[in-house]
């Protein structure tokens, strides 16, 4: 799966990590839905860090269709609320 972190580029994530990232995505969506800014910031940081650890960077001269687009660290709760779909940020 190709994941883009806004402002950082694309990463290739092995599918065996989708369940873990979906749990983190769900926790982030829960924080957004209740408007808990502290939990939102914490969950976004954890989600992005796990993607950075688990997924390999795609070279800058290669552009693939991203199956998930994650907000950059520092995005506001409102910005992320606008990005969330029915499945969260990470499909599956």
């Amino acid at each position: 799966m190709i994941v883009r972190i806004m402002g950082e580029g694309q990463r290739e994530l092995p599918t065996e990590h989708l369940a873990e990232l979906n749990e983190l995505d769900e926790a982030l969506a829960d924080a957004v839905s209740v408007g808990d800014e502290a939990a939102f910031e914490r969950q976004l940081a954890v989600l992005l860090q796990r993607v950075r650890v688990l997924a390999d960077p795609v070279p800058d001269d290669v552009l693939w269709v991203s199956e998930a687009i994650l907000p950059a660290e520092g995005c506001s709760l409102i910005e992320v609320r606008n990005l969330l779909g029915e499945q969260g940020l990470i499909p599956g």
Side-chain angles (χ1 to χ4, degrees):
M1 165 182 238
I2 301 300
V3 178
R4 174 177 294 284
I5 298 175
M6 296 170 129
E8 292 184 30
Q10 292 181 310
R11 293 179 168 271
E12 187 170 11
L13 177 75
T15 56
E16 65 259 21
H17 299 297
L18 280 178
E20 176 187 350
L21 293 184
N22 275 316
E23 286 180 24
L24 296 172
D25 185 29
E26 205 171 302
L28 176 66
D30 290 345
V32 169
S33 70
V34 298
D36 185 338
E37 189 78 37
F40 157 73
E41 290 174 3
R42 185 173 52 254
Q43 290 303 134
L44 179 57
V46 169
L47 175 62
L48 294 177
Q49 185 58 31
R50 290 305 290 158
V51 169
R52 291 178 188 122
V53 168
L54 298 172
D56 295 321
V58 173
D60 289 337
D61 62 339
V62 176
L63 183 61
W64 290 331
V65 174
S66 298
E67 296 165 87
I69 299 176
L70 303 179
E73 215 156 339
C75 279
S76 73
L77 188 144
I78 292 169
E79 290 170 318
V80 173
R81 181 177 286 145
N82 292 332
L83 290 174
L84 282 171
E86 288 183 23
Q87 292 187 18
L89 295 170
I90 299 183

